[in-house]
Amino acid sequence: MCGISGAVGLKNISELLFEGIRNLEYRGYDSCGVALINKSRLLIKKDIGGVEEFYRKHNVLQHKSKIGIAHTRWATHGKVTQENTHPFTSRDGNFAVVHNGIISNYRPLKAQLQKEGFKFSSETDTEVLAHLLEKFYKRSRNVEKAFLKMLNLIEGTYAIALISSYLPEQIFCAKKESPLMLGIGDEIKFVGSDFNAFIDHTKNAVILDDGEYAILSRDTYVVKDLLSKEEVTKPITKIEWDSETSKKGGYPHYMLKEIYEQPQTISNALDLEESGLDEIVDLFAESENSYLLGVGTTFYVAKYAKYVFSKLAQEFFPSISSDEFMALAIVNKESLFFCASQSGETFDTLSALKHAKLKGARTAAVVNVMGSSIARLVDKVVLQGSGPEICVISTKAALSQMVVLTVLAMKLALKKKVITRKIYNQHLQSLRELPEIIQGILNERSGFIHRLAHKYSGTRNWLYLGRGVYYPIALESALKMKEVAYVHAEGMPGGFLKHGTLAMIDDDVSSIVFVPPPEDKVLYEATMHSVEEIRARSGFVLGIHFTEQGKNSDLYSEELILPKVPPLTAPLIQLVIGQLFAYFTATSLKRNIDKPRSLAKSVTVA
Ligand code: AGP
């Protein structure tokens, strides 16, 4: 969703804010803006488009200031226009405010303010905040009091930062269900939607909780409780991520860089502290009913895990898309709620988690971002250690989560004595070989996949088919194609085809089939039926398979043959192919790879 960056200190803040919102651009990139204070006067610049273009066009760096807030927007209320871009200022020009979230009661507030003579220049929910600040300041002549009065009145979700010409050396900020943290440097303080807003300048962060607000100045900061107004002592969180890993490092796009980081992130996942994983396995073993959750890509991670738990540990754990959880799941004290989330901030998953907690359920998660809301809220968390994932399209985080979940399923199987230690060790060995195999594929097959993707980049409809554990791989690969290439792609279980979709097979619909290794006899044969069904109707099939002897063009229209691997890791390897195929299709179609249209990295609104 939107990105907030603010700083107060000695340096030229304008430049720091540029870096801040540029690093946060993956959260939203419809439009952006900045508010600075110069000689006690607020200066506002904002426009539609990306951060670099905006800074260049408005020559923002020429404006020197020691305090400022900036925002990069993902539109929720109101179209993408300059008027709807943050920051918003009060009528008297003394307050500037940026916001991430949704003010759910903005309509009545706006109506009341309009009655009182306030003029609105935008269609957004946020603008009410600026006018409320002016209104309440007039009564109390105190910025903090006006801020608190405003916070007490608004409903919904928010991360807010404001500056005022009345106190030109302080930033005020607060959060409720939208992420916000402080960066604590020497003679400089930051506020940001996440670490990326200030990681280049300080690794000391203070993570704000709901119901808290903070006041920052160059040399000091204070966090207070919204209700009691008492000061709260907050721990400093050390950011472990290296700012270098957030850079593109020679790759044309973050997406490609992150795909190429997967051998490393899988190794990281396999080196996680055993005791943390064992505690979660205990939760699965002790709970009467366990649910696996996620949304978008992480729903497919959960779906993948459902198959792995069933196959390895003989446990059926339903996977549910987080947004459907409340309508579907029956949770109580004996339940386990387990979710996967890259950002740890996704609204749908966070809401489902809160619901589960309210019902007394046990909770656990695999999360990439340390200090995120989900990571802090669950009883047990696995921090997967994949490093920052900047591209809006998730690749390395999802694959690494699948690896973590495979290990959890193996551990549960061992605990339940469904598998022997010997089999466990064999599986572990297969996983340990995965980074090298993926590295080999990236080195040796990328060129071929690139050519293939380019050749078929004109295809407008893809069917992605997989059976069993390959079904979530098909779904996830199809999602990659949709979100990065804007090409229609539908994931489907192979067996489903003949129940309707087969009627679609013609020159306009091409299929990609994820074929298991032949040792996985039942799945393999079932998958081959799907291939035959399509070929019998002269449909195009790109077969992604592991059989050298399958080099027969009468079976596949095109094929991608992968090295022989054990069935346990075969679907994970195929996912990498799905990622690369989508990436290269998107580059052929000249798409905006890291920031696809209409999307944002962490979806923190309902
Ligand atoms: C991934 O490519 C998507 N952009 C999206 O589906 C994402 O996986 C989903 O919004 C969940 O995000 P999370 O992992 O940060 O919770």
Side-chain angles (χ1 to χ4, degrees):
M1 295 293 98
C2 307
I4 290 176
S5 171
V8 50
L10 272 179
K11 299 195 183 163
N12 179 11
I13 295 305
S14 184
E15 211 167 298
L16 300 188
L17 293 180
F18 170 63
E19 288 167 17
I21 49 169
R22 195 184 47 184
N23 290 349
L24 292 178
E25 225 182 345
Y26 63 88
R27 302 180 65 90
Y29 33 83
D30 296 336
S31 51
C32 54
V34 43
L36 303 165
I37 298 183
N38 200 333
K39 298 194 180 105
S40 290
R41 286 176 65 89
L42 274 173
L43 173 90
I44 310 291
K45 295 278 175 198
K46 53 186 182 177
D47 210 339
I48 57 172
V51 173
E52 295 205 8
E53 182 194 351
F54 158 70
Y55 258 73
R56 220 180 14 253
K57 189 168 156 196
H58 292 271
N59 205 356
V60 184
L61 289 179
Q62 72 165 349
H63 301 288
K64 306 284 179 231
S65 174
K66 289 179 182 168
I67 186 167
I69 50 175
H71 188 268
T72 175
R73 179 172 186 243
W74 186 83
T76 55
H77 288 68
K79 289 185 230 44
V80 181
T81 61
Q82 192 176 31
E83 293 73 34
N84 289 338
T85 302
H86 301 219
F88 289 98
T89 42
S90 53
R91 183 180 50 179
D92 62 8
N94 287 318
F95 290 94
V97 58
V98 292
H99 162 228
N100 171 25
I102 292 173
I103 307 299
S104 53
N105 62 338
Y106 86 99
R107 285 180 197 282
L109 292 173
K110 183 171 177 174
Q112 178 59 33
L113 285 162
Q114 280 170 325
K115 258 196 227 159
E116 293 168 23
F118 287 90
K119 294 264 178 295
F120 281 76
S121 58
S122 79
E123 304 158 312
T124 67
D125 51 336
T126 305
E127 195 180 353
V128 294
L129 305 179
H131 297 313
L132 285 172
L133 285 165
E134 175 184 327
K135 172 174 159 174
F136 295 134
Y137 180 82
K138 287 220 165 97
R139 290 186 194 164
S140 62
R141 298 274 154 202
N142 180 305
V143 177
E144 186 173 348
K145 280 190 181 154
F147 184 46
L148 291 177
K149 189 101 177 105
M150 179 202 82
L151 291 176
N152 283 329
L153 208 61
I154 58 175
E155 288 164 14
T157 61
Y158 57 77
I160 294 171
L162 76 91
I163 52 175
S164 167
S165 55
Y166 294 121
L167 285 175
E169 289 172 0
Q170 291 185 350
I171 298 178
F172 288 75
C173 56
K175 73 152 261 163
K176 185 183 162 212
E177 292 181 32
S178 292
L180 200 66
M181 54 193 69
L182 315 180
I184 312 301
D186 290 336
E187 299 191 335
I188 186 153
K189 303 291 172 283
F190 298 88
V191 57
S193 295
D194 63 46
F195 302 141
N196 291 305
F198 48 76
I199 193 171
D200 286 327
H201 303 282
T202 177
K203 296 210 165 179
N204 293 334
V206 169
I207 297 159
L208 290 186
D209 284 300
D210 288 354
E212 291 174 347
Y213 69 102
I215 307 170
L216 318 178
S217 51
R218 189 189 77 181
D219 297 315
T220 175
Y221 69 96
V222 59
V223 179
K224 293 187 183 178
D225 183 273
L226 200 54
L227 289 178
S228 67
K229 297 168 194 68
E230 297 285 319
E231 197 172 325
V232 186
T233 314
K234 302 284 291 181
I236 298 267
T237 302
K238 285 268 174 213
I239 308 169
E240 284 161 20
W241 287 352
D242 181 353
S243 66
E244 273 313 299
T245 26
S246 312
K247 310 257 168 358
K248 236 185 267 173
Y251 287 88
H253 303 105
Y254 281 112
M255 182 172 177
L256 192 64
K257 174 179 182 254
E258 288 158 6
I259 290 173
Y260 270 75
E261 280 172 350
Q262 293 181 121
Q264 185 57 52
T265 61
I266 291 172
S267 297
N268 297 351
L270 291 171
D271 287 343
L272 291 172
E273 211 39 69
E274 294 259 343
S275 57
L277 298 176
D278 290 336
E279 282 172 10
I280 293 184
V281 169
D282 290 345
L283 287 181
F284 274 115
E286 287 157 12
S287 303
E288 267 173 23
N289 52 348
S290 301
Y291 297 99
L292 305 167
L293 270 91
V295 69
T297 285
T298 45
F299 173 48
Y300 299 144
V301 170
K303 230 173 164 45
Y304 162 87
K306 176 175 72 174
Y307 283 94
V308 178
F309 275 107
S310 163
K311 178 95 182 158
L312 293 179
Q314 291 172 18
E315 286 284 1
F316 174 64
F317 299 147
S319 57
I320 305 181
S321 184
S322 311
D323 54 322
E324 290 293 315
F325 180 71
M326 283 181 248
L328 209 53
I330 299 150
V331 239
N332 55 39
K333 288 207 286 289
E334 304 309 321
S335 316
L336 172 64
F337 169 104
F338 182 95
C339 66
S341 176
Q342 188 286 127
S343 63
E345 298 292 351
T346 302
F347 180 87
D348 292 314
T349 306
L350 199 52
S351 308
L353 168 60
K354 286 178 184 167
H355 173 77
K357 280 189 88 80
L358 216 62
K359 298 277 177 188
R362 301 151 177 158
T363 57
V366 53
V367 174
N368 192 33
V369 180
M370 70 197 118
S372 58
S373 303
I374 293 175
R376 286 181 298 138
L377 216 57
V378 286
D379 303 332
K380 303 267 175 239
V381 66
V382 180
L383 289 172
Q384 61 188 87
S386 305
E389 189 182 66
I390 307 294
C391 176
V392 166
I393 290 125
S394 184
T395 51
K396 64 173 181 173
L399 186 60
S400 306
Q401 286 170 345
M402 288 180 181
V403 170
V404 170
L405 279 150
T406 309
V407 174
L408 290 175
M410 283 158 45
K411 280 180 171 287
L412 184 61
L414 188 65
K415 187 180 172 87
K416 285 182 60 193
K417 300 196 172 39
V418 177
I419 57 171
T420 60
R421 172 64 68 180
K422 190 171 164 213
I423 299 288
Y424 177 88
N425 287 340
Q426 279 171 8
H427 286 336
L428 198 59
Q429 184 53 27
S430 302
L431 288 174
R432 292 221 174 273
E433 287 163 8
L434 194 54
E436 204 181 316
I437 296 170
I438 292 179
Q439 192 61 62
I441 288 170
L442 292 171
N443 293 345
E444 290 153 27
R445 305 294 164 93
S446 286
F448 178 70
I449 300 168
H450 190 171
R451 285 193 293 282
L452 207 60
H454 187 67
K455 182 169 168 192
Y456 295 103
S457 59
T459 303
R460 297 314 300 153
N461 298 289
W462 286 105
L463 265 185
Y464 282 68
L465 299 170
R467 291 216 181 213
V469 70
Y470 296 85
Y471 167 42
I473 299 301
L475 286 167
E476 170 58 3
S477 301
L479 181 63
K480 295 302 90 163
M481 181 60 94
K482 282 184 273 206
E483 58 182 349
V484 70
Y486 321 151
V487 171
H488 174 229
E490 215 176 319
M492 197 172 294
F496 210 79
L497 192 61
K498 56 186 173 295
H499 297 284
T501 317
L502 209 46
M504 293 280 296
I505 298 297
D506 62 14
D507 289 349
D508 290 333
V509 179
S510 298
S511 305
I512 295 184
V513 182
F514 293 95
V515 185
E519 304 91 280
D520 211 342
K521 202 164 177 304
V522 179
L523 269 194
Y524 175 77
E525 282 172 6
T527 307
M528 294 320 287
H529 292 322
S530 310
V531 174
E532 300 284 4
E533 284 160 12
I534 304 169
R535 296 300 284 150
R537 277 131 193 112
S538 306
F540 174 98
V541 176
L542 163 57
I544 302 174
H545 66 92
F546 299 89
T547 40
E548 274 295 330
Q549 70 271 29
K551 272 194 182 163
N552 43 38
S553 45
D554 56 327
L555 194 55
Y556 304 112
S557 324
E558 291 279 5
E559 61 188 339
L560 204 149
I561 306 169
L562 295 166
K564 197 169 157 23
V565 291
L568 184 76
T569 50
L572 302 174
I573 287 163
Q574 290 194 330
L575 181 59
V576 179
I577 308 301
Q579 297 168 343
L580 285 171
F581 192 67
Y583 171 77
F584 287 124
T585 304
T587 54
S588 292
L589 295 173
K590 304 208 176 345
R591 301 302 193 221
N592 189 358
I593 306 289
D594 290 328
K595 290 176 273 175
R597 68 184 181 202
S598 309
L599 301 183
K601 182 80 180 155
S602 56
V603 184
T604 55
V605 292

